[in-house]
């Protein structure tokens, strides 16, 4: 099903093309990923595994795993990175694919060879800014990325960004930042941009292999130095039912919903209360998808409080100190059971709740993709890593980090280019974790006219509201002397609403006394499609989602620049300064089923998704063979699947510890030299020589 109306995104253009899936004729958009076309047609199962004939669905939608493999014109291909073409014959992959019939041999060609001063691997925010700095310093740069557009995860982010307006486009939506950065990169003549180009390996002889799947071609790039800006991959979780179609990463969800405007779900449960999970909940609501709740095993929210407050007042509950007990369903996700945990993080089953859902989103953190950096260090050539490949942080931090890394690489190659000390200081601030929470007292305006009410209580790196007031009436407190300080109002307000529109956390409202006794007027931001008319009643909520009764809509206006509505509402004067938003989601959506489903077996949880190796199998093998080296688990096929262990190698140490192996005794696994699967015909360039 397609998303045809969205408060932020425009409908996706594209010519409709016909294709078949398991013999059935369907319609998709030319050039969109096959996985998105299948999801848009209601298809969630992509393959059947040889172990137990288990159904497989997507997990990462980013080419990192192999869960979305299907047969396309007779060949097994990852559907999430394969563009749809007219007439494609697509089939469910059942167990192993058949070998194609023998054909006439084709001539092989030597790979095309390119040269540059610096190869930048990954064109997300850090890779682009690193490339720009190197280009400005006079170096030739090849900027390679496996996607068809630059921007990395920015292309999935429809919300306004935090950070500094001067340094990283704070107050601007991620999708817009991606376009700005791409334009800046393309304006530099000494940056060669290679999209749809997967850097498959970085070798000790100072060359990198690049696979271009759309061309079925493999080429080599010689370089003097490498900047690794490959980002991060999503972590998985071990729980019964974690392999069912409908359990996938929050990034995959954002890819389907925000990049491709495909309605991937009807009802979702989100695991993880960091910024990724909180933002995914907001994106779901904007796409018209119900969110039954978020859970986190930790006792506190690790993301920004303004993100959490925003979704709570829209009607999404957050369950802290809770774990996901299991996910149930016949061949797909149908239910999910959660429970509170004790002080040792064990589930208290008497507290269990089961929700009817069709999707469980995993947002439990990221792992840096830094294999190329490690390869470069071992080989001894100049190599640096930046962005999430170096340290997991916000995209605002990645932009500044990329600038620093670009200049650091220039210096490694012999430049005397200066790196301002303030850049390092800003980078540290931008990657700061949420700080202290301070109480605020919101009093009724002492003077007539409008006054902003700022519902921002936690120290986070953010300053857009201080830059847009025409009277410079919002300033940071100065407590730390950085953009971590809280904003405060002092001065004149003309009610222009600029601070309300630009706040990334939707944490500013305007209030003024009404001409009617005991009433007040309230202006608040709203980023959803609506049909509100003057006189309509809306459900009011305080900053943390508490019910404040109802208010009457007086007027609405829309800012095209900020793509945000300003709603003017008449409210009781006693609650005007406390009101932070209106309810978006029907409370009935978040109600659990009458009875909790506790039919689960923890040892049945899948650890290695590619080979379907379970917790129980690993624990038995470890205990019977006194295993301490992760490489030994390859005997039972763990980490031997198509993804090369990208998902399970993060999980295996925990299972070994469950089996009684001390953490310090566990030896890491050896990573494969190539990061992606490359068909032999591409390595041999049998499709032809140079482009």
């Amino acid at each position: 099903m397609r998303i045809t109306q969205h408060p932020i995104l425009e409908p996706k253009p594209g010519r409709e093309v016909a294709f078949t899936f398991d013999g059935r004729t369907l319609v998709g958009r030319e050039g969109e990923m096959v996985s998105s076309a299948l999801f848009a047609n209601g298809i969630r199962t992509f393959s059947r595994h040889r172990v137990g004939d288990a159904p497989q669905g997507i997990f990462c939608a980013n080419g990192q795993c192999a869960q979305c493999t299907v047969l396309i014109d007779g060949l097994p291909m990852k559907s999430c990175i394969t563009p749809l073409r007219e007439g494609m014959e697509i089939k469910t992959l059942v167990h192993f694919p058949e070998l194609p019939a023998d054909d006439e041999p084709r001539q092989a060609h030597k790979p095309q060879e390119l040269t540059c001063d610096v190869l930048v691997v990954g064109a997300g925010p850090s890779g682009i800014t690193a490339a720009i700095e190197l280009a400005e310093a006079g170096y030739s740069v090849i900027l390679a990325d496996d996607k068809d557009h630059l921007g990395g995860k920015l292309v999935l982010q429809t919300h306004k960004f935090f950070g500094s307006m001067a340094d990283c486009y704070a107050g601007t939506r991620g999708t817009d930042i991606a376009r700005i950065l791409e334009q800046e990169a393309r304006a530099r003549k000494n940056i060669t941009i290679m999209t749809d180009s997967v850097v498959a390996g970085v070798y000790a002889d100072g060359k990198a292999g690049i696979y271009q799947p759309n061309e079925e071609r493999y080429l080599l790039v010689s370089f003097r130095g490498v900047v690794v800006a490959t980002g991060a991959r999503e972590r998985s979780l071990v729980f019964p039912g974690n392999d069912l179609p409908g359990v996938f990463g929050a990034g995959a969800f954002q890819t389907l919903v925000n990049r491709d405007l495909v309605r991937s779900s009807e009802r979702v449960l989100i695991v993880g209360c960091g910024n990724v999970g909180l933002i995914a909940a907001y994106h779901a609501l904007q796409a018209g998808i119900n969110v039954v709740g978020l859970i986190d095993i930790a006792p506190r929210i690790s993301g920004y409080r303004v993100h959490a407050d925003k979704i709570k007042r829209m009607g999404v509950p957050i369950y802290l100190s809770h774990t996901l007990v299991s996910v149930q369903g016949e061949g797909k996700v149908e239910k999910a059971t959660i429970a509170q945990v004790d002080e040792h993080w064990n589930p208290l089953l008497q507290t269990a709740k089961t929700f009817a859902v069709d999707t469980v989103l995993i947002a439990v953190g990221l792992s840096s993709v830094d294999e190329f950096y490690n390869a470069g260090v071992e080989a001894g050539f100049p190599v640096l890593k930046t962005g999430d490949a170096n340290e997991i942080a916000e995209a605002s931090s990645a932009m500044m980090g990329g600038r620093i890394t670009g200049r650091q690489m220039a210096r490694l190659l012999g430049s005397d280019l200066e790196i301002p000390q303030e850049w390092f200081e800003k980078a540290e601030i931008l990657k700061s974790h949420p700080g202290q929470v301070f109480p605020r007292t919101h009093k009724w305006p002492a003077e007539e006219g409008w006054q902003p009410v700022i519902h921002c209580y936690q120290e986070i790196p953010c300053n857009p509201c201080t830059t847009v007031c025409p009277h410079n009436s919002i300033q940071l407190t100065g407590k730390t002397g950085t953009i971590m300080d809280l904003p405060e109002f002092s001065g004149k307000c003309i009610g222009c609403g600029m601070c309300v529109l630009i706040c990334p956390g939707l944490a500013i409202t305007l209030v003024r006394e009404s001409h009617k006794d005991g009433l007040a007027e309230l202006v608040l931001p709203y980023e959803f499609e609506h049909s509100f008319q003057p006189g309509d009643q809306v459900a009011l909520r305080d900053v943390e989602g508490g019910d404040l009764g109802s208010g009457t809509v007086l007027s609405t206006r829309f800012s095209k620049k900020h793509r945000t509505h300003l709603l003017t509402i008449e409210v009781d004067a006693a609650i005007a300064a406390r009101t932070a938003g209106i309810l978006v989601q029907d409370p009935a959506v978040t109600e659990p089923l009458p009875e909790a489903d506790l039919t689960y077996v923890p040892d049945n949880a899948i650890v290695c998704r590619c080979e379907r190796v379970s917790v129980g199998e690993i624990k038995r093998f470890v205990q019977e063979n006194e295993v301490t080296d992760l490489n030994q688990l390859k005997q039972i096929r763990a980490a031997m699947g198509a993804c090369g262990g990208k998902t399970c190698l993060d999980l295996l140490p925990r299972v070994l510890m469950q089996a009684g192996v001390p953490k310090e005794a566990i030896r890491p696994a050896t990573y494969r030299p190539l990061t992606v699967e490359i068909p032999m015909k591409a390595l041999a360039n049998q499709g032809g020589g140079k482009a």
Side-chain angles (χ1 to χ4, degrees):
M1 183 175 175
R2 304 283 180 181
I3 297 171
T4 56
Q5 281 191 314
H6 193 280
I8 306 301
L9 300 170
E10 297 294 329
K12 296 286 287 187
R15 183 173 71 94
E16 287 193 342
V17 296
F19 67 97
T20 63
F21 181 76
D22 289 345
R24 184 160 53 109
T25 300
L26 303 172
V27 173
R29 290 201 175 104
E30 186 175 39
E32 72 177 340
M33 297 305 110
V34 167
S35 57
S36 296
L38 294 176
F39 257 81
N41 282 280
I43 295 163
R44 304 290 186 269
T45 298
F46 293 79
S47 63
R48 294 267 173 188
H49 202 280
R50 61 180 176 80
V51 178
D53 203 37
Q56 307 280 284
I58 68 165
F59 180 73
C60 76
N62 192 36
Q64 295 283 320
C65 70
Q67 295 294 291
C68 67
T69 302
V70 293
L71 287 177
I72 299 179
D73 296 333
L75 297 176
M77 302 181 73
K78 293 180 181 179
S79 60
C80 74
I81 55 173
T82 303
L84 184 69
R85 298 190 307 273
E86 176 80 48
M88 270 186 169
E89 184 183 43
I90 305 169
K91 294 181 179 180
T92 302
L93 173 60
V94 179
H95 303 177
F96 293 118
E98 294 182 8
L99 289 173
D102 287 341
D103 201 355
E104 292 294 323
R106 292 186 291 175
Q107 182 180 357
H109 298 266
K110 288 185 177 181
Q112 178 185 1
E113 296 201 26
L114 307 175
T115 61
C116 63
D117 292 321
V118 182
L119 171 65
V120 178
V121 187
S126 63
I128 295 175
T129 53
I132 290 171
E133 289 297 325
L134 284 159
E136 289 294 301
Y139 292 93
S140 62
V141 179
I142 288 179
L143 178 60
D145 195 90
D146 60 351
K147 303 296 187 297
D148 60 347
H149 285 84
L150 307 190
K153 291 294 189 290
L154 288 173
V155 302
L156 313 179
Q157 309 301 336
T158 60
H159 57 282
K160 304 181 190 108
F161 266 59
F162 296 86
S164 163
M165 286 194 72
D167 300 309
C168 52
Y169 308 102
T172 304
R173 300 186 187 278
T175 49
D176 297 329
I177 298 173
R179 285 190 286 270
I180 293 168
L181 292 178
E182 178 164 3
Q183 290 169 0
E184 291 186 7
R186 293 191 182 279
R188 271 69 177 183
K189 293 183 178 180
N190 49 342
I191 297 179
T192 299
I193 294 173
M194 297 177 63
T195 53
D196 295 311
S197 299
V198 184
V199 179
V202 176
Y203 309 120
D205 62 353
K207 293 183 180 180
I210 295 183
Y211 170 46
Q212 296 180 320
N214 294 343
E215 305 293 334
E216 292 190 342
R217 181 174 61 188
Y218 182 76
L219 53 87
L220 297 173
V221 173
S222 297
F223 53 79
R224 294 172 59 196
V226 173
V227 171
V228 178
T230 40
R233 60 177 66 98
E234 291 185 283
R235 288 178 174 163
S236 184
L237 272 183
V238 176
F239 55 85
N242 65 343
D243 60 313
L244 284 171
V247 177
F248 48 86
F253 176 78
Q254 291 172 322
T255 297
L256 290 165
V257 172
N258 291 345
R259 188 193 70 183
D260 299 335
L261 283 175
V262 170
R263 188 183 175 97
S264 67
S265 318
E266 295 297 328
R267 294 167 61 90
V268 303
L269 172 71
I270 301 174
V271 184
C273 288
N275 281 339
V276 173
L278 298 170
I279 291 169
Y282 188 56
H283 290 168
L285 294 174
Q286 287 186 316
I289 295 169
N290 293 320
V291 183
V292 303
L294 287 87
I295 70 167
D296 203 300
I297 200 167
R300 61 184 61 86
I301 292 166
S302 59
Y304 292 167
R305 175 175 166 172
V306 285
H307 277 319
D309 289 346
K310 177 170 60 180
I311 63 167
K312 283 192 286 187
R313 61 181 176 259
M314 291 171 184
V316 179
I318 295 177
Y319 298 91
L320 298 176
S321 297
H322 276 70
T323 189
L324 183 60
V325 175
S326 62
V327 172
Q328 304 92 4
E330 291 297 323
K332 61 182 179 179
V333 172
E334 294 174 338
K335 295 185 291 185
T337 300
I338 69 172
Q340 194 173 340
V341 296
D342 62 19
E343 65 273 18
H344 302 295
W345 294 2
N346 297 310
L348 301 170
L349 296 182
Q350 65 270 26
T351 69
K353 298 180 180 69
T354 297
F355 297 90
V357 295
D358 62 359
T359 304
V360 174
L361 301 183
I362 307 301
V364 293
L366 304 168
S367 297
S368 295
V369 180
D370 60 357
E371 293 90 342
F372 292 151
Y373 173 77
N374 297 331
V377 170
E378 185 177 346
F381 53 73
V383 60
L384 295 172
K385 56 182 177 177
T386 189
D388 281 348
N390 181 49
E391 183 178 2
I392 306 299
E394 297 297 308
S396 53
S397 169
M399 284 179 248
M400 181 58 69
R403 296 176 67 187
I404 293 171
T405 302
R407 292 204 175 189
Q408 287 174 329
M409 177 55 70
R411 292 179 68 85
L412 284 179
L413 298 181
S415 171
D416 58 0
L417 192 63
E418 293 284 339
I419 307 176
Q421 179 60 34
E422 66 176 16
W423 285 16
F424 293 97
E425 296 166 358
K426 289 178 178 180
E428 287 299 312
I429 292 297
L430 289 170
K431 67 183 181 183
S432 297
H433 295 291
Q436 294 186 62
V437 174
F438 294 91
R440 285 184 186 269
T441 301
H442 300 303
K443 297 180 179 179
W444 184 249
E447 299 178 3
E448 292 185 1
W450 291 106
Q451 177 175 305
V453 179
I454 302 174
H455 297 284
C456 180
Y457 306 92
Q458 184 183 51
E459 292 176 329
I460 58 172
C462 187
N463 74 350
C465 63
T466 68
T467 65
V468 296
C469 178
H471 293 279
N472 201 30
S473 296
I474 298 179
Q475 298 292 324
L476 299 179
T477 60
K479 181 176 179 293
T480 70
T482 72
I483 60 170
M484 291 289 286
D485 288 324
L486 298 184
E488 288 186 334
F489 169 74
S490 177
K492 181 180 180 180
C493 178
I494 59 173
C496 67
M498 291 304 299
C499 58
V500 181
L501 289 168
I502 204 167
C503 176
L506 307 186
I508 301 179
T509 63
L510 298 179
V511 295
R512 74 175 177 184
E513 191 173 4
S514 172
H515 63 276
K516 299 178 183 178
D517 288 344
L519 297 178
E521 293 181 15
L522 166 74
V523 175
L524 54 80
Y526 194 75
E527 293 190 329
F528 296 87
E529 294 288 337
H530 74 82
S531 57
F532 296 136
Q533 297 294 323
D536 287 349
Q537 295 293 298
V538 292
L540 306 175
R541 292 294 184 266
D542 67 17
V543 68
E544 292 189 338
D547 186 358
L548 293 176
S550 63
T552 304
V553 175
L554 297 178
S555 64
T556 70
R557 63 186 174 98
F558 180 68
S559 168
K560 288 185 178 180
K561 176 181 178 181
H562 298 280
R563 279 164 285 172
T564 301
H565 298 271
L566 292 180
L567 308 184
T568 302
I569 302 170
E570 189 174 66
V571 302
D572 191 303
I575 64 168
R578 293 167 51 205
T579 304
I582 64 176
L583 185 67
V584 171
Q585 180 172 258
D586 186 339
V589 167
T590 64
E591 290 295 318
L593 296 173
E595 294 185 9
D597 188 330
L598 296 177
T599 56
Y600 74 104
V601 182
D603 276 6
N604 286 352
I606 297 297
V607 181
C608 175
R609 300 171 71 94
C610 293
E611 295 293 318
R612 289 192 61 77
V613 185
S614 70
V615 170
E617 289 176 87
I618 295 170
K619 287 165 67 175
R620 286 192 295 273
F621 182 78
V622 168
Q623 291 164 345
E624 291 170 2
N625 298 278
E626 298 182 357
V627 170
T628 59
D629 189 334
L630 296 184
N631 290 298
Q632 293 175 269
L633 298 177
K634 294 176 181 178
Q635 292 182 58
I636 56 171
R637 300 296 301 169
M640 288 294 287
C643 85
K646 292 185 181 74
T647 301
C648 65
L649 285 178
D650 270 350
L651 302 173
L652 288 173
R654 303 178 212 172
V655 183
L656 262 67
M657 287 188 284
Q658 289 179 25
V661 180
K663 183 178 181 180
E664 61 274 11
I666 299 173
R667 295 181 59 187
T670 301
Y671 280 88
R672 300 184 192 177
L674 292 180
T675 61
V676 296
E677 311 93 299
I678 301 178
M680 291 300 295
K681 63 180 180 180
L683 281 172
N685 285 294
Q686 290 182 322
K690 297 182 179 181

